[in-house]
Amino acid sequence: MSTINGLPAHLLLIHFIVVLAPLTAILAIGASIWTGVRSKLVWLIAVLAVFTLVLTPLTTEAGEWLEKRVPETAAVEQHTEIGDWMIYFSVGLVVVAAALVLLHLRERRGNAPVRWQSFAVVVLAVVIGATTIVQVYRIGESGARAAWEDVTAVGNG
């Protein structure tokens, strides 16, 4: 995928990742801690996690297409390298969502999860969720720097 309505697809797709990955992470953390949140939002979290996982390689691929068409700079290279790691965070969100679904199904059957299982899901959700949010920020910041560094340098000169 290269362009959508004449604009580089990466510029449009990235907005989905920037919104969906942190949103999914926050919802997953909440659902891991509170049973009420889990019972209401577990399926939404699962859908968002899978959707994020599907969009991540499309966004990365579109970014690689765009990278070949912009001037090669250290900032663009850094953004590309950091962005390539997003797939692992998207997979992590799917793993957390799957764990939440398993807890939810167990609870629906009337079986309370074993305490260590609930604790493990909370730790997993917090660690993966927080690192996902940080990674999205790092990717976005490096992308903004790559796109706007020359413009702001000219304006300050």
Side-chain angles (χ1 to χ4, degrees), residues 17-150:
I17 301 297
V18 166
V19 171
L20 293 180
L23 175 64
T24 305
I26 290 167
L27 292 175
I29 291 168
S32 73
I33 297 169
W34 295 290
T35 306
V37 172
R38 182 167 50 247
S39 67
K40 288 180 176 61
L41 299 178
V42 69
W43 299 111
L44 174 64
I45 294 165
V47 168
L48 291 174
V50 169
F51 192 58
T52 301
L53 180 61
V54 169
L55 282 178
T56 298
L58 294 174
T59 304
T60 304
E61 184 179 308
E64 289 172 1
W65 177 89
L66 181 59
E67 179 187 20
K68 293 176 182 140
R69 286 154 180 80
V70 298
E72 189 174 324
T73 65
V76 169
E77 183 61 32
Q78 181 186 22
H79 175 64
T80 302
E81 287 177 17
I82 295 172
D84 285 342
W85 283 87
M86 188 60 207
I87 189 69
Y88 301 110
F89 295 90
S90 295
V91 168
L93 289 175
V94 170
V95 169
V96 170
L100 290 169
V101 167
L102 291 174
L103 279 182
H104 174 69
L105 292 176
R106 186 176 177 106
E107 290 164 349
R108 271 189 48 192
R109 290 187 191 119
N111 301 329
V114 180
R115 186 178 199 123
W116 72 264
Q117 292 171 337
S118 295
F119 181 74
V121 172
V122 169
V123 170
L124 188 68
V126 169
V127 169
I128 291 176
T131 57
T132 297
I133 292 167
V134 169
Q135 184 68 2
V136 168
Y137 170 81
R138 290 180 67 228
I139 295 167
E141 191 273 337
S142 69
R145 199 169 291 285
W148 297 103
E149 199 165 50
D150 292 340

